Amino acid sequence: MHRFANPARFLRLSAALRPWALGVALLTLGAGLWFALFDSPPDYQQGETVRIMYIHVPSAWMAMMVYTTMAVASAVGLVWKHPVAELYTKAAAPLGAGFTALCLLTGSLWGQPMWGTWWVWDARLTSVLILFFIYLGYIVLVSAFDDPQRGLKAGAVLTLVGAVNLPIIKFSVDWWNTLHQPASVMKLGGSTLDGSMLLPLLLMAVAFTALFAWLVLLRTETEIAERRIRALRLATAMAARRGEAPGLEQPVG
């Protein structure tokens, strides 16, 4: 882990991984959409509406997975002063917010014909909405400081505190009486989904994960470049000040 605290080493690794991540994302997204739209059958109760699941469920998984990686990176950044971990957290936050917003939107579209309403304040929906607000809070907080380093530290603390919400989202259907069904894919006894539905769902999950990997690597590279530019500007400004100081001390006339 400490090897990749060196931004130059991370950039070399990122440059090697990004094309693979993009390739996997495009291949699995294309295959997943084909199976989801044309090969998987409609549900015997929900009909064609069930196809929203192939976007909704992977986006829900990604909303939680991205935040989990942010929490781990925040802990690494605070404890070991890992500069790339801090920049990764900042780069991942907008992507996680996007997946969470997609989860809420598709859930609303799916819920209206099934439940007869666009929104209900049940435990699962409310906790995911809170997760979306935590993402937005992190983005705003990091940008609220003149000193970027202080903003990253404040954001890391918020991320770790907000991680308490993750088990609430995961186990809300078990702890409270909610409209959401219990887990049907990842169960000790095996998935309850038919293979014709499970295959496109897993393909879409891989596609979303690979797409996130490509985007977050690209955004982290951008964050590293911006930090270097800020450091260069600061060094230039300090050098200019030092160059002006002797002139101010020269006797006039």
Side-chain angles (χ1 to χ4, degrees):
M1 181 176 62
H2 287 287
R3 291 180 58 201
F4 301 109
N6 184 327
R9 188 172 290 133
F10 171 83
L11 290 173
R12 288 195 296 271
L13 177 65
S14 177
L17 291 179
R18 272 193 294 106
W20 289 98
L22 181 59
V24 171
L26 293 176
L27 287 174
T28 52
L29 184 62
L33 287 175
W34 190 89
F35 280 110
L37 296 176
F38 304 109
D39 188 70
S40 65
D43 185 72
Y44 75 101
Q45 287 182 321
Q46 302 181 38
E48 300 292 344
T49 309
V50 75
R51 301 188 193 281
I52 300 176
M53 170 182 69
Y54 301 116
I55 299 295
H56 174 72
V57 175
S59 62
W61 289 343
M62 292 304 300
M64 294 185 63
M65 188 274 284
V66 173
Y67 197 91
T68 301
T69 64
M70 286 175 56
V72 173
S74 295
V76 171
L78 287 174
V79 175
W80 288 288
K81 313 298 182 185
H82 198 299
V84 177
E86 295 173 339
L87 296 179
Y88 167 86
T89 307
K90 184 180 179 183
L95 301 176
F99 282 119
T100 309
L102 182 60
C103 170
L104 292 169
L105 176 62
T106 53
S108 180
L109 293 173
W110 195 6
Q112 203 283 328
M114 295 300 103
W115 300 339
T117 180
W118 297 100
W119 181 265
V120 290
W121 291 99
D122 84 338
R124 173 60 64 82
L125 271 69
T126 304
S127 54
V128 172
L129 180 63
I130 290 172
L131 178 64
F132 179 64
F133 287 142
I134 293 174
Y135 273 121
L136 296 183
Y138 172 89
I139 296 170
V140 172
L141 182 62
V142 167
S143 304
F145 290 83
D146 292 332
D147 182 1
Q149 198 60 37
R150 290 181 60 194
L152 290 174
K153 288 182 178 178
V157 173
L158 174 63
T159 302
L160 291 175
V161 172
V164 176
N165 191 42
L166 294 179
I168 296 176
I169 297 174
K170 171 63 178 175
F171 298 108
S172 58
V173 294
D174 302 316
W175 293 344
W176 295 285
N177 182 23
T178 73
L179 292 175
H180 276 79
Q181 67 181 38
S184 58
V185 178
M186 297 180 182
K187 297 181 66 175
L188 293 177
S191 174
T192 59
L193 283 179
D194 183 77
S196 60
M197 291 184 170
L198 182 60
L199 176 61
L201 188 61
L202 294 180
L203 284 172
M204 293 299 291
V206 172
F208 278 32
T209 304
L211 179 62
F212 166 74
W214 177 67
L215 289 172
V216 79
L217 288 172
L218 193 62
R219 285 182 53 81
T220 305
E221 290 180 16
T222 303
E223 292 292 338
I224 292 173
E226 289 179 354
R227 173 173 281 194
R228 286 178 171 175
I229 292 172
R230 284 196 301 268
L232 182 60
R233 287 176 177 172
L234 180 61
T236 303
M238 292 179 65
R241 269 185 217 156
R242 284 195 297 269
E244 291 170 5
L248 295 174
E249 295 173 1
Q250 295 292 331
V252 179

